[in-house]
C-alpha cells in the first residue's frame, strides 16, 4: 500500500461548507393556519395595507385641519407681505419695505 502525502486531507463530507451543496433537512409539514398567515403576510408586503386599514391609521383622520376663510386670508396677507418685502429689498424702497413689515407683523400676529 502506498503512503499518502502528509498534507493530503480526506473527509467523509465536504470540507468547504460554503461551496458544498445544502443538505436536505427533514421538514415537518407546515400547519394550514401558518400557511394562511404567511400567504396574508406575503400579500401585505406585495400590495401594502388594505385601504380600510390605511384610513384608520392615517393621522389626518383623527385631527383633520380645516381651512377657514380667516386662515386663508391670514396666509394670503403673510405671503403677499413677504413678496412685497422681497421686492422692496430689490428696489431699496423704504416705503414699500415699511408696508411689507407691517403686513408681516399683522400676518404673523393673527
Amino acid at each position: 500500500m502506498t503512503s499518502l502525502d502528509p498534507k493530503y486531507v480526506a473527509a467523509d463530507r465536504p470540507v468547504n461548507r460554503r461551496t458544498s451543496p445544502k443538505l436536505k433537512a427533514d421538514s415537518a409539514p407546515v400547519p394550514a393556519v401558518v400557511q394562511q398567515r404567511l400567504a396574508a403576510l406575503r400579500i401585505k408586503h406585495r400590495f401594502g395595507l388594505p385601504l380600510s386599514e390605511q384610513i384608520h391609521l392615517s393621522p389626518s383622520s383623527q385631527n383633520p385641519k380645516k381651512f377657514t376663510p380667516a386662515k386663508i386670508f391670514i396666509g394670503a396677507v403673510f405671503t403677499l407681505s413677504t413678496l412685497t418685502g422681497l421686492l422692496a429689498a430689490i428696489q431699496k424702497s423704504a416705503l414699500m419695505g415699511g408696508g411689507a413689515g407691517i403686513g408681516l407683523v399683522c400676518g404673523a400676529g393673527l
Side-chain angles (χ1 to χ4, degrees):
M1 194 168 164
T2 63
S3 66
L4 296 174
D5 185 15
K7 295 182 181 177
Y8 182 76
V9 177
D12 58 346
R13 58 184 180 170
V15 177
N16 188 352
R17 293 188 310 183
R18 184 178 56 86
T19 58
S20 65
K22 303 273 187 227
L23 297 175
K24 302 262 181 183
D26 295 333
S27 61
V30 180
V33 175
V34 175
Q35 289 178 350
Q36 289 173 352
R37 287 182 184 171
L38 286 174
L41 187 63
R42 275 189 224 109
I43 290 172
K44 188 179 282 188
H45 280 283
R46 185 170 184 179
F47 298 115
L49 290 174
L51 184 60
S52 60
E53 290 182 28
Q54 288 179 11
I55 291 172
H56 291 296
L57 292 178
S58 68
S60 63
S61 64
Q62 287 111 11
N63 189 11
K65 295 180 181 179
K66 296 182 179 177
F67 290 112
T68 60
K71 287 183 181 179
I72 294 172
F73 177 74
I74 292 168
V77 167
F78 193 74
T79 304
L80 289 175
S81 299
T82 304
L83 291 175
T84 306
L86 289 173
L87 288 175
I90 291 171
Q91 295 178 357
K92 298 179 183 175
S93 172
L95 181 63
M96 196 184 308
I102 293 171
L104 280 173
V105 169
C106 291
L110 292 176

